[in-house]
Amino acid sequence: MRLLIFILAGFALLFQYNFWFGKNGYLDYKNTEKEITLRQQENEKLSQRNQVIAAEIKDLKEGVDAIEERARLQHEMVKNNETFYRIVKEHK
């Protein structure tokens, strides 16, 4: 009778080992869950960046003011009878 109990306990331990440490076990599941969370955060950041770029493209396609503003900022172009001021943020 004791032998049967030890054999059954051994099988139970074997199944528990596979559940916790085996292939596709609980630890693999938790690691995969963490990786999925990181990827979703990265995708959210990229999605926000894409929305900003899409809005900028829309502005450039639809309006001349946006093109003028971008050219003036990048190339420091100043119109006649105009004073150009650049405000630089202080880095701390």
Side-chain angles (χ1 to χ4, degrees), residues 6-37:
F6 285 127
I7 291 173
L8 291 176
F11 278 126
L13 289 175
L14 179 66
F15 290 133
Q16 284 294 313
Y17 178 81
N18 285 334
F19 174 76
W20 291 101
F21 305 110
K23 182 178 179 183
N24 296 327
Y26 184 75
L27 297 178
D28 285 344
Y29 167 75
K30 283 297 185 183
N31 289 338
T32 304
E33 191 175 53
K34 288 178 187 176
E35 188 174 334
I36 287 171
T37 303

Side-chain angles (χ1 to χ4, degrees), residues 50-62:
N50 288 346
Q51 289 174 356
V52 169
I53 291 172
E56 188 175 334
I57 289 171
K58 182 180 176 186
D59 286 344
L60 290 174
K61 284 183 178 179
E62 291 179 356

